[in-house]
């Protein structure tokens, strides 16, 4: 009972950590004015800074998956988690220096350090909670993230109007350092080395996963829904809504809040549905990709008519599809055992966040309408691959 209570307390701390990580992830989605101000001050093309400042986090987050999951499985949440949260705090403070290099380096290092939270939480869930709770825990994780995402819309817009980026970065850095201390004090997982499984064996599992069709299908299924939605939410959606529809920065932040809210409300229901009601994962992921496909069709249809109702319907459905996708992370790790849960999650995140980074970076070159068509194509591809390659993991 004491062990279970301690695991719950640690899980709550990891949920708060993910809220912080998610805020970093999507806060740039309403910072078009600030980013353009940076570009003017540093004499940089604003289109490129709008593309690469938000996506620097995602490229770094994706590439760090090559080692983060293996490190967490090998050395444990206690050491690796605390170290990375400390790096996040220092990297956030680095962005306050009056230098474009410091700005981009800080954003990149935040992406590297943020990668520990999701994989670490999935390891905690696999080690200390039943398989019939994995989707529920993932739904709580993503719900917490999107509550934080809600704060990164209109409330953040108001905060920046009063206190600016220096005030924001100071608070975010302090939160990261506080979580670092809590993780080190509360976590007791020291990894698989105590079982004789070193980094080489765990790394070998990552190589094995790269040859698994199921691993690819679940990851690309997540790109099709969560990936396309997050790229829109965190980067180029503001360009579509301001350039095509003529919305001001406050209206854009409110519309993105609707997207995040539909994710928040749907995610916990989906977790209970998968774990406790139908006892299956694959039908839910198929539904996620189908709803994502429909949402992008509505968003594209809203452009030539400048239809606000169609756009809003598309955004709400996109948020629902992101909520439905929460079965994908458990599907990605469940076939491979608890000793490799963080490594399997890392492969999943490597594919997912590479996809997000690419979808963010292409928009300045092709425009928002073409990027919407690309997102629709990715959603359809994900749907096909999930149907063909993904296997049911909970029932088996």
């Amino acid at each position: 009972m004491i062990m279970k209570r301690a695991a719950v307390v640690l899980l709550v701390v990891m949920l708060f950590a993910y809220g912080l990580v998610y805020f970093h992830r999507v806060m740039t989605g309403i910072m078009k004015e600030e980013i353009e101000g940076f570009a003017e001050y540093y004499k940089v093309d604003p289109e490129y800074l709008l593309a690469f400042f938000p996506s620097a986090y995602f490229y770094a987050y994706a590439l760090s998956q090559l080692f983060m999951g293996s490190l967490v499985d090998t050395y444990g949440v206690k050491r690796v988690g605390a170290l990375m949260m400390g790096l996040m705090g220092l990297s956030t403070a680095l962005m306050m220096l009056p230098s474009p290099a410091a700005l981009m380096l800080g954003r990149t290092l935040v992406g590297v350090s943020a990668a520990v939270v999701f994989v670490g939480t999935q390891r905690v869930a696999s080690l200390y909670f039943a398989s019939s709770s994995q989707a529920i825990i993932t739904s709580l994780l993503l719900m917490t993230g999107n509550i934080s995402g809600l704060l990164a819309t209109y409330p953040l817009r108001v905060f920046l109007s009063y206190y600016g980026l220096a005030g924001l970065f100071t608070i975010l850095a302090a939160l990261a350092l506080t979580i670092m201390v809590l993780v080190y004090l509360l976590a007791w997982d020291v990894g698989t080395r105590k079982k004789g499984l070193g980094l080489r064996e765990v790394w070998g599992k990552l190589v094995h996963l790269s040859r698994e069709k199921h691993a690819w299908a679940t990851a690309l299924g997540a790109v099709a829904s969560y990936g396309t939605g997050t790229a829109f939410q965190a980067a180029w959606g503001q360009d579509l809504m301001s350039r095509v529809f003529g919305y001001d920065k406050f209206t854009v932040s409110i519309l993105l809040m609707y997207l995040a809210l539909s994710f928040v409300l749907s995610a916990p229901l989906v977790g209970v549905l998968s774990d406790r009601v139908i006892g299956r994962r694959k039908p839910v992921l198929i539904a996620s990709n189908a709803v994502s496909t429909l949402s992008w069709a509505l968003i594209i249809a809203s452009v030539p008519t400048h239809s606000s109702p169609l756009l809003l319907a598309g955004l709400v459905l996109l948020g629902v599809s992101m909520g439905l996708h929460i079965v994908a992370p458990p599907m990605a790790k469940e076939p491979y055992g608890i000793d490799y849960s963080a490594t399997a999650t890392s492969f999943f995140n490597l594919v997912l966040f590479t996809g997000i980074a690419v979808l963010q970076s292409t928009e300045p070159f092709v425009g928002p309408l073409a990027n919407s068509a690309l997102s629709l194509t990715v959603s359809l591809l994900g749907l096909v691959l999930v149907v063909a390659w993904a296997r049911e993991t909970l029932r088996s």
Side-chain angles (χ1 to χ4, degrees), residues 368-390:
L369 184 57
N371 227 45
S372 299
L374 176 60
S375 297
L376 174 63
T377 303
V378 170
S379 295
L380 284 169
L381 177 63
L383 177 61
V384 170
L385 292 178
V386 168
V387 170
W389 287 353

PDB file of all heavy atoms in Angstrom, residues 368-390:
ATOM      1  N   PRO A 368      -0.195  27.811 -46.218  1.00  0.00           N
ATOM      2  CA  PRO A 368      -1.073  27.102 -45.278  1.00  0.00           C
ATOM      3  C   PRO A 368      -2.074  26.156 -45.932  1.00  0.00           C
ATOM      4  O   PRO A 368      -2.401  25.108 -45.376  1.00  0.00           O
ATOM      5  CB  PRO A 368      -1.785  28.240 -44.532  1.00  0.00           C
ATOM      6  CG  PRO A 368      -1.671  29.424 -45.429  1.00  0.00           C
ATOM      7  CD  PRO A 368      -0.380  29.264 -46.161  1.00  0.00           C
ATOM      8  N   LEU A 369      -2.585  26.497 -47.114  1.00  0.00           N
ATOM      9  CA  LEU A 369      -3.561  25.621 -47.768  1.00  0.00           C
ATOM     10  C   LEU A 369      -2.901  24.324 -48.225  1.00  0.00           C
ATOM     11  O   LEU A 369      -3.447  23.228 -48.030  1.00  0.00           O
ATOM     12  CB  LEU A 369      -4.215  26.334 -48.946  1.00  0.00           C
ATOM     13  CG  LEU A 369      -5.329  25.540 -49.659  1.00  0.00           C
ATOM     14  CD1 LEU A 369      -6.431  25.147 -48.667  1.00  0.00           C
ATOM     15  CD2 LEU A 369      -5.907  26.349 -50.811  1.00  0.00           C
ATOM     16  N   ALA A 370      -1.713  24.425 -48.822  1.00  0.00           N
ATOM     17  CA  ALA A 370      -0.998  23.218 -49.246  1.00  0.00           C
ATOM     18  C   ALA A 370      -0.607  22.374 -48.038  1.00  0.00           C
ATOM     19  O   ALA A 370      -0.625  21.134 -48.106  1.00  0.00           O
ATOM     20  CB  ALA A 370       0.246  23.596 -50.054  1.00  0.00           C
ATOM     21  N   ASN A 371      -0.270  23.020 -46.921  1.00  0.00           N
ATOM     22  CA  ASN A 371       0.074  22.254 -45.727  1.00  0.00           C
ATOM     23  C   ASN A 371      -1.157  21.546 -45.162  1.00  0.00           C
ATOM     24  O   ASN A 371      -1.058  20.459 -44.583  1.00  0.00           O
ATOM     25  CB  ASN A 371       0.696  23.163 -44.665  1.00  0.00           C
ATOM     26  CG  ASN A 371       1.960  22.575 -44.073  1.00  0.00           C
ATOM     27  OD1 ASN A 371       2.811  22.072 -44.800  1.00  0.00           O
ATOM     28  ND2 ASN A 371       2.092  22.617 -42.760  1.00  0.00           N
ATOM     29  N   SER A 372      -2.324  22.149 -45.325  1.00  0.00           N
ATOM     30  CA  SER A 372      -3.560  21.476 -44.926  1.00  0.00           C
ATOM     31  C   SER A 372      -3.796  20.235 -45.778  1.00  0.00           C
ATOM     32  O   SER A 372      -4.192  19.181 -45.267  1.00  0.00           O
ATOM     33  CB  SER A 372      -4.759  22.435 -45.071  1.00  0.00           C
ATOM     34  OG  SER A 372      -4.609  23.569 -44.251  1.00  0.00           O
ATOM     35  N   ALA A 373      -3.535  20.360 -47.084  1.00  0.00           N
ATOM     36  CA  ALA A 373      -3.672  19.202 -47.972  1.00  0.00           C
ATOM     37  C   ALA A 373      -2.664  18.118 -47.616  1.00  0.00           C
ATOM     38  O   ALA A 373      -2.970  16.911 -47.661  1.00  0.00           O
ATOM     39  CB  ALA A 373      -3.499  19.641 -49.429  1.00  0.00           C
ATOM     40  N   LEU A 374      -1.448  18.527 -47.242  1.00  0.00           N
ATOM     41  CA  LEU A 374      -0.439  17.560 -46.807  1.00  0.00           C
ATOM     42  C   LEU A 374      -0.893  16.845 -45.537  1.00  0.00           C
ATOM     43  O   LEU A 374      -0.727  15.617 -45.403  1.00  0.00           O
ATOM     44  CB  LEU A 374       0.886  18.277 -46.569  1.00  0.00           C
ATOM     45  CG  LEU A 374       2.042  17.433 -46.026  1.00  0.00           C
ATOM     46  CD1 LEU A 374       2.390  16.301 -46.972  1.00  0.00           C
ATOM     47  CD2 LEU A 374       3.269  18.310 -45.759  1.00  0.00           C
ATOM     48  N   SER A 375      -1.487  17.580 -44.605  1.00  0.00           N
ATOM     49  CA  SER A 375      -1.991  16.974 -43.371  1.00  0.00           C
ATOM     50  C   SER A 375      -3.116  15.991 -43.652  1.00  0.00           C
ATOM     51  O   SER A 375      -3.207  14.938 -43.012  1.00  0.00           O
ATOM     52  CB  SER A 375      -2.469  18.070 -42.413  1.00  0.00           C
ATOM     53  OG  SER A 375      -1.405  18.915 -42.030  1.00  0.00           O
ATOM     54  N   LEU A 376      -3.967  16.319 -44.611  1.00  0.00           N
ATOM     55  CA  LEU A 376      -5.029  15.392 -45.014  1.00  0.00           C
ATOM     56  C   LEU A 376      -4.431  14.105 -45.586  1.00  0.00           C
ATOM     57  O   LEU A 376      -4.875  12.994 -45.252  1.00  0.00           O
ATOM     58  CB  LEU A 376      -5.933  16.066 -46.048  1.00  0.00           C
ATOM     59  CG  LEU A 376      -7.025  15.192 -46.683  1.00  0.00           C
ATOM     60  CD1 LEU A 376      -8.027  14.717 -45.640  1.00  0.00           C
ATOM     61  CD2 LEU A 376      -7.737  15.962 -47.798  1.00  0.00           C
ATOM     62  N   THR A 377      -3.407  14.244 -46.414  1.00  0.00           N
ATOM     63  CA  THR A 377      -2.752  13.072 -47.010  1.00  0.00           C
ATOM     64  C   THR A 377      -2.104  12.197 -45.939  1.00  0.00           C
ATOM     65  O   THR A 377      -2.214  10.962 -45.972  1.00  0.00           O
ATOM     66  CB  THR A 377      -1.687  13.529 -48.027  1.00  0.00           C
ATOM     67  OG1 THR A 377      -2.290  14.357 -49.016  1.00  0.00           O
ATOM     68  CG2 THR A 377      -1.024  12.332 -48.695  1.00  0.00           C
ATOM     69  N   VAL A 378      -1.439  12.829 -44.975  1.00  0.00           N
ATOM     70  CA  VAL A 378      -0.808  12.084 -43.885  1.00  0.00           C
ATOM     71  C   VAL A 378      -1.856  11.345 -43.063  1.00  0.00           C
ATOM     72  O   VAL A 378      -1.646  10.195 -42.647  1.00  0.00           O
ATOM     73  CB  VAL A 378       0.012  13.052 -42.990  1.00  0.00           C
ATOM     74  CG1 VAL A 378       0.478  12.360 -41.719  1.00  0.00           C
ATOM     75  CG2 VAL A 378       1.214  13.586 -43.757  1.00  0.00           C
ATOM     76  N   SER A 379      -3.003  11.977 -42.828  1.00  0.00           N
ATOM     77  CA  SER A 379      -4.076  11.326 -42.068  1.00  0.00           C
ATOM     78  C   SER A 379      -4.585  10.089 -42.787  1.00  0.00           C
ATOM     79  O   SER A 379      -4.819   9.040 -42.166  1.00  0.00           O
ATOM     80  CB  SER A 379      -5.229  12.311 -41.835  1.00  0.00           C
ATOM     81  OG  SER A 379      -4.820  13.375 -41.007  1.00  0.00           O
ATOM     82  N   LEU A 380      -4.776  10.197 -44.093  1.00  0.00           N
ATOM     83  CA  LEU A 380      -5.232   9.036 -44.875  1.00  0.00           C
ATOM     84  C   LEU A 380      -4.188   7.918 -44.861  1.00  0.00           C
ATOM     85  O   LEU A 380      -4.534   6.735 -44.720  1.00  0.00           O
ATOM     86  CB  LEU A 380      -5.520   9.464 -46.309  1.00  0.00           C
ATOM     87  CG  LEU A 380      -6.821  10.232 -46.538  1.00  0.00           C
ATOM     88  CD1 LEU A 380      -6.848  10.839 -47.944  1.00  0.00           C
ATOM     89  CD2 LEU A 380      -8.025   9.303 -46.346  1.00  0.00           C
ATOM     90  N   LEU A 381      -2.911   8.276 -45.003  1.00  0.00           N
ATOM     91  CA  LEU A 381      -1.842   7.276 -44.982  1.00  0.00           C
ATOM     92  C   LEU A 381      -1.791   6.577 -43.629  1.00  0.00           C
ATOM     93  O   LEU A 381      -1.661   5.343 -43.549  1.00  0.00           O
ATOM     94  CB  LEU A 381      -0.503   7.950 -45.273  1.00  0.00           C
ATOM     95  CG  LEU A 381       0.732   7.043 -45.208  1.00  0.00           C
ATOM     96  CD1 LEU A 381       0.659   5.945 -46.259  1.00  0.00           C
ATOM     97  CD2 LEU A 381       2.017   7.874 -45.390  1.00  0.00           C
ATOM     98  N   GLY A 382      -1.900   7.340 -42.554  1.00  0.00           N
ATOM     99  CA  GLY A 382      -1.904   6.745 -41.224  1.00  0.00           C
ATOM    100  C   GLY A 382      -3.051   5.780 -41.041  1.00  0.00           C
ATOM    101  O   GLY A 382      -2.883   4.695 -40.458  1.00  0.00           O
ATOM    102  N   LEU A 383      -4.218   6.141 -41.532  1.00  0.00           N
ATOM    103  CA  LEU A 383      -5.391   5.262 -41.429  1.00  0.00           C
ATOM    104  C   LEU A 383      -5.145   3.936 -42.129  1.00  0.00           C
ATOM    105  O   LEU A 383      -5.426   2.859 -41.576  1.00  0.00           O
ATOM    106  CB  LEU A 383      -6.600   5.981 -42.038  1.00  0.00           C
ATOM    107  CG  LEU A 383      -7.913   5.200 -42.088  1.00  0.00           C
ATOM    108  CD1 LEU A 383      -8.380   4.810 -40.697  1.00  0.00           C
ATOM    109  CD2 LEU A 383      -8.985   6.035 -42.801  1.00  0.00           C
ATOM    110  N   VAL A 384      -4.592   3.991 -43.321  1.00  0.00           N
ATOM    111  CA  VAL A 384      -4.320   2.761 -44.084  1.00  0.00           C
ATOM    112  C   VAL A 384      -3.311   1.886 -43.351  1.00  0.00           C
ATOM    113  O   VAL A 384      -3.502   0.655 -43.232  1.00  0.00           O
ATOM    114  CB  VAL A 384      -3.807   3.118 -45.496  1.00  0.00           C
ATOM    115  CG1 VAL A 384      -3.293   1.865 -46.209  1.00  0.00           C
ATOM    116  CG2 VAL A 384      -4.908   3.769 -46.313  1.00  0.00           C
ATOM    117  N   LEU A 385      -2.228   2.477 -42.843  1.00  0.00           N
ATOM    118  CA  LEU A 385      -1.185   1.687 -42.195  1.00  0.00           C
ATOM    119  C   LEU A 385      -1.653   1.083 -40.868  1.00  0.00           C
ATOM    120  O   LEU A 385      -1.274  -0.050 -40.528  1.00  0.00           O
ATOM    121  CB  LEU A 385       0.053   2.555 -41.961  1.00  0.00           C
ATOM    122  CG  LEU A 385       0.801   2.986 -43.224  1.00  0.00           C
ATOM    123  CD1 LEU A 385       1.973   3.885 -42.875  1.00  0.00           C
ATOM    124  CD2 LEU A 385       1.287   1.770 -44.008  1.00  0.00           C
ATOM    125  N   VAL A 386      -2.477   1.822 -40.113  1.00  0.00           N
ATOM    126  CA  VAL A 386      -2.994   1.271 -38.855  1.00  0.00           C
ATOM    127  C   VAL A 386      -3.883   0.067 -39.134  1.00  0.00           C
ATOM    128  O   VAL A 386      -3.785  -0.965 -38.458  1.00  0.00           O
ATOM    129  CB  VAL A 386      -3.757   2.352 -38.067  1.00  0.00           C
ATOM    130  CG1 VAL A 386      -4.544   1.732 -36.915  1.00  0.00           C
ATOM    131  CG2 VAL A 386      -2.784   3.384 -37.520  1.00  0.00           C
ATOM    132  N   VAL A 387      -4.745   0.181 -40.130  1.00  0.00           N
ATOM    133  CA  VAL A 387      -5.629  -0.939 -40.478  1.00  0.00           C
ATOM    134  C   VAL A 387      -4.803  -2.149 -40.919  1.00  0.00           C
ATOM    135  O   VAL A 387      -5.082  -3.290 -40.535  1.00  0.00           O
ATOM    136  CB  VAL A 387      -6.619  -0.522 -41.583  1.00  0.00           C
ATOM    137  CG1 VAL A 387      -7.377  -1.735 -42.126  1.00  0.00           C
ATOM    138  CG2 VAL A 387      -7.601   0.515 -41.053  1.00  0.00           C
ATOM    139  N   ALA A 388      -3.751  -1.908 -41.702  1.00  0.00           N
ATOM    140  CA  ALA A 388      -2.985  -3.009 -42.296  1.00  0.00           C
ATOM    141  C   ALA A 388      -1.969  -3.624 -41.350  1.00  0.00           C
ATOM    142  O   ALA A 388      -1.795  -4.852 -41.325  1.00  0.00           O
ATOM    143  CB  ALA A 388      -2.287  -2.515 -43.563  1.00  0.00           C
ATOM    144  N   TRP A 389      -1.287  -2.802 -40.543  1.00  0.00           N
ATOM    145  CA  TRP A 389      -0.114  -3.295 -39.811  1.00  0.00           C
ATOM    146  C   TRP A 389      -0.265  -3.344 -38.297  1.00  0.00           C
ATOM    147  O   TRP A 389       0.391  -4.161 -37.649  1.00  0.00           O
ATOM    148  CB  TRP A 389       1.101  -2.425 -40.138  1.00  0.00           C
ATOM    149  CG  TRP A 389       1.662  -2.626 -41.506  1.00  0.00           C
ATOM    150  CD1 TRP A 389       1.297  -3.569 -42.423  1.00  0.00           C
ATOM    151  CD2 TRP A 389       2.706  -1.852 -42.111  1.00  0.00           C
ATOM    152  NE1 TRP A 389       2.038  -3.437 -43.563  1.00  0.00           N
ATOM    153  CE2 TRP A 389       2.914  -2.394 -43.404  1.00  0.00           C
ATOM    154  CE3 TRP A 389       3.464  -0.767 -41.695  1.00  0.00           C
ATOM    155  CZ2 TRP A 389       3.867  -1.872 -44.280  1.00  0.00           C
ATOM    156  CZ3 TRP A 389       4.423  -0.240 -42.555  1.00  0.00           C
ATOM    157  CH2 TRP A 389       4.613  -0.799 -43.840  1.00  0.00           C
ATOM    158  N   ALA A 390      -1.048  -2.470 -37.716  1.00  0.00           N
ATOM    159  CA  ALA A 390      -1.133  -2.439 -36.241  1.00  0.00           C
ATOM    160  C   ALA A 390      -1.869  -3.673 -35.742  1.00  0.00           C
ATOM    161  O   ALA A 390      -2.820  -4.147 -36.353  1.00  0.00           O
ATOM    162  CB  ALA A 390      -1.859  -1.163 -35.778  1.00  0.00           C
TER     163      ALA A 390
END
